[in-house]
């Protein structure tokens, strides 16, 4: 009898880890199953403001749903994808170490291609309807690939240039004009080294502006003549690099270092994928008050970022509950607040009540800080299959410098 009781206790102790049954059609069953779970969210950890926001999310889901959210900080989302892929190769079907991943683009494509995703589930979230997907189809597409409910949107971004108006009267408004500006202002511009996200984004932006075969970028790279399509990009970079910071022999590691170079006065022109980041940098005293931001005349790359759940996540109910909370008006308004993070919402304001909409107008900006940029045309991201070949070609040409 004693042995049986001990065995029963041991089995019951495993239930929170194994997870209770739930039905996506019964959201109360999802939140009930989520209570007591520890969710491991693998998300980029390279920005203090982003990390602080995720810490706030952790506090909220603990208080509201009894979920312990652990932010697993990664330098590259590919690290988490590689881990899930290794678990699948080892026949780990239900004891995965990753419960939720912040991803998009090539990483989503890799997980989808290798059947590493749980779903479909995203459009079953109660808050998904607030995105008004019929009017905003970008929440259903990731770098040209249909999402099909395997990831949920939670933010959007657009490539945004910023400059020190105390040093620059007329910033370049196109990629060709950037080369002329760099020649006239040597050492005052640079871009992060690929495969850093912003570095690869700069390559894609320049390629879209320079190639005569733009449509080829929206189909798999294997269907195109890679050398012919990208030849104008390498010719451009060969001419640009001598006029970059450190004469193109060294490159920043990413957006934070490029922002620091702007704050230190080493650069006069830079760019970010978070449109409100320059204004936030002014508020945080990381950038001079003369900082201004803008979009190139022909438009810049923009996309939506998502969260996904691996096929073998141990705590799916908790991950689902967090994904739904991330789409709540409260969480989205706080994320967009310039004083906190400044990441743009994916919600459609027409789906919100007047009180909910008002929260998105309170961004905590100081009166003297610059307003968010007036965003222009958004360019679609190329097919994700172009990313790795572009990065490899860049390394072959410039990586050994």
């Amino acid at each position: 009898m004693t042995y049986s009781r001990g065995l029963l206790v041991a089995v019951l102790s495993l239930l929170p880890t194994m997870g209770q049954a739930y039905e996506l059609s019964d959201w109360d069953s999802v939140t009930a199953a989520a209570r007591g779970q520890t969710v491991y969210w693998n998300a980029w950890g390279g920005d203090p403001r982003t990390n602080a926001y995720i810490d706030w999310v952790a506090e909220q889901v603990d208080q509201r749903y009894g979920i312990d959210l652990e932010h697993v900080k990664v330098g590259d989302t590919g690290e988490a994808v590689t881990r899930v892929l290794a678990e699948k190769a080892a026949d780990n079907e239900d004891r995965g170490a990753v419960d939720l991943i912040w991803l998009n683009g090539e990483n989503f494509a890799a997980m989808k291609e290798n059947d590493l995703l749980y779903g479909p589930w995203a459009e079953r979230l109660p808050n998904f309807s607030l995105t008004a997907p019929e009017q905003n189809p970008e929440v259903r597409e990731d770098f040209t690939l249909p999402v099909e409910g395997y990831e949920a949107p939670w933010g959007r971004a657009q490539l945004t240039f910023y400059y020190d108006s105390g040093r620059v009267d007329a910033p370049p408004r196109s990629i060709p004009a950037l080369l002329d500006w760099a020649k006239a202002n040597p050492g005052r511009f640079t871009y992060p080294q690929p495969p850093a996200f912003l570095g690869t984004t700069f390559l894609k932006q320049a390629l879209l502006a320079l190639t005569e075969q733009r449509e080829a970028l929206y189909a798999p790279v294997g269907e195109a003549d890679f050398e012919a399509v990208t030849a104008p990009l390498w010719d451009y970079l060969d001419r640009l690099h001598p006029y970059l910071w450190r004469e193109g022999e060294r490159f920043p590691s990413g957006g934070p270092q490029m922002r620091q170079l702007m704050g230190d006065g080493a650069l006069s022109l830079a760019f970010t994928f978070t449109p409100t980041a320059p204004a936030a940098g002014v508020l945080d005293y990381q950038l001079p008050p003369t900082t201004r931001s803008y979009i190139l005349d022909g438009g810049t790359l923009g996309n939506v970022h998502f969260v996904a759940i691996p096929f073998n996540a141990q705590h799916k109910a908790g991950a689902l509950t967090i994904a739904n909370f991330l789409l709540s008006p409260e969480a989205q308004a706080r994320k967009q607040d310039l004083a906190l993070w400044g990441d743009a919402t994916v919600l459609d304001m027409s789906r919100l009540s007047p009180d909910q909409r008002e929260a998105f107008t309170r961004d905590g900006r100081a009166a003297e800080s610059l307003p968010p940029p007036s965003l222009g045309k958004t360019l679609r991201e190329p097919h994700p299959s172009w990313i790795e070949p572009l990065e490899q070609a860049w390394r072959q040409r410039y990586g050994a410098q």
Side-chain angles (χ1 to χ4, degrees):
M1 177 68 73
T2 304
Y3 175 81
S4 298
R5 181 180 178 84
L7 178 61
L8 178 61
V9 171
V11 170
L12 290 174
S13 70
L14 291 175
L15 287 178
T17 300
M18 294 167 63
Q20 297 176 322
Y22 62 85
E23 293 290 340
L24 282 171
S25 58
D26 178 7
W27 191 250
D28 287 342
S29 75
V30 176
T31 57
R35 187 164 296 275
Q37 291 190 342
T38 297
V39 174
Y40 294 92
W41 184 6
N42 284 236
W44 181 61
D47 184 82
R49 295 166 67 91
T50 305
N51 295 341
Y53 176 76
I54 294 177
D55 288 344
W56 175 81
V57 171
E59 294 173 359
Q60 297 301 308
V61 297
D62 179 27
Q63 295 171 10
R64 300 171 188 228
Y65 307 108
I67 298 170
D68 180 12
L69 172 59
E70 296 289 339
H71 180 192
V72 181
K73 299 180 177 69
V74 296
D76 188 314
T77 305
E79 300 168 20
V81 176
T82 299
R83 181 164 192 170
V84 177
L85 187 61
E87 290 175 345
K88 183 175 183 179
D91 294 324
N92 181 343
E93 297 293 329
D94 56 10
R95 305 287 294 180
V98 181
D99 295 310
L100 192 65
I101 305 180
W102 173 8
L103 84 170
N104 66 0
E106 62 176 330
N107 290 305
F108 172 69
M111 294 195 75
K112 194 175 183 184
E113 180 180 355
N114 289 283
D115 296 323
L116 301 180
L117 295 169
Y118 165 68
W121 55 269
E123 300 201 16
R124 309 288 292 278
L125 299 178
N127 287 329
F128 181 80
S129 63
L130 300 179
T131 67
E134 295 80 10
Q135 288 74 47
N136 302 287
E138 65 271 17
V139 301
R140 286 175 164 162
E141 181 181 281
D142 191 346
F143 282 49
T144 75
L145 298 180
V147 168
E148 299 178 323
Y150 284 89
E151 58 180 357
W154 76 298
R156 65 174 75 241
Q158 183 172 1
L159 185 64
T160 303
F161 284 75
Y162 61 101
Y163 64 102
D164 184 349
S165 64
R167 298 183 176 190
V168 179
D169 293 327
R173 297 283 175 173
S174 68
I175 290 297
L178 175 60
L179 175 59
D180 295 333
W181 186 91
K183 289 179 179 180
N185 301 272
R188 308 300 297 176
F189 175 74
T190 189
Y191 63 92
Q193 179 170 330
F197 172 77
L198 267 184
T200 302
T201 298
F202 179 75
L203 298 185
K204 292 184 291 182
Q205 177 72 39
L207 181 56
L208 280 168
L210 298 168
T211 186
E212 295 181 355
Q213 303 180 51
R214 178 181 282 199
E215 287 305 311
L217 299 175
Y218 295 104
V221 66
E223 299 178 6
D225 183 339
F226 180 82
E227 294 299 328
V229 173
T230 61
L233 172 64
W234 313 125
D235 177 66
Y236 177 87
L237 294 181
D238 286 345
R239 290 180 288 147
L240 177 67
H241 280 190
Y243 302 100
L244 296 181
W245 174 73
R246 300 291 176 87
E247 298 179 335
E249 295 182 358
R250 289 182 58 190
F251 295 85
S253 59
Q257 186 180 3
M258 191 160 57
R259 181 176 61 228
Q260 181 179 349
L261 290 171
M262 279 288 292
D264 293 342
L267 301 179
S268 298
L269 176 68
F271 57 91
T272 175
F273 212 68
T274 303
T276 55
V282 173
L283 279 178
D284 291 342
Y285 303 102
Q286 296 178 343
L287 294 173
T290 48
T291 301
R292 298 293 181 269
S293 51
Y294 69 103
I295 301 294
L296 298 181
D297 288 345
T300 56
L301 287 167
N303 63 47
V304 172
H305 41 268
F306 299 81
V307 289
I309 302 173
F311 79 102
N312 63 345
Q314 292 189 59
H315 310 112
K316 294 184 177 72
L320 288 164
T321 302
I322 292 169
N324 189 60
F325 176 73
L326 292 173
L327 281 173
S328 67
E330 179 182 357
Q332 288 281 305
R334 186 177 180 90
K335 182 169 64 70
Q336 185 168 286
D337 190 331
L338 190 58
L340 301 171
W341 180 4
D343 188 56
T345 183
V346 292
L347 303 188
D348 188 302
M349 292 298 107
S350 68
R351 297 293 178 94
L352 306 184
S353 69
D355 287 345
Q356 290 171 333
R357 289 196 294 271
E358 183 182 358
F360 288 86
T361 67
R362 299 193 298 266
D363 61 16
R365 284 181 285 132
E368 67 274 12
S369 69
L370 76 166
S374 177
L375 298 184
K377 178 182 178 182
T378 300
L379 303 180
R380 293 173 61 221
E381 288 277 1
H383 191 277
S385 62
W386 283 85
I387 294 176
E388 187 173 347
L390 279 174
E391 293 170 346
Q392 290 178 346
W394 188 94
R395 282 194 295 269
Q396 291 172 359
R397 288 169 168 80
Y398 312 113
Q401 294 182 11

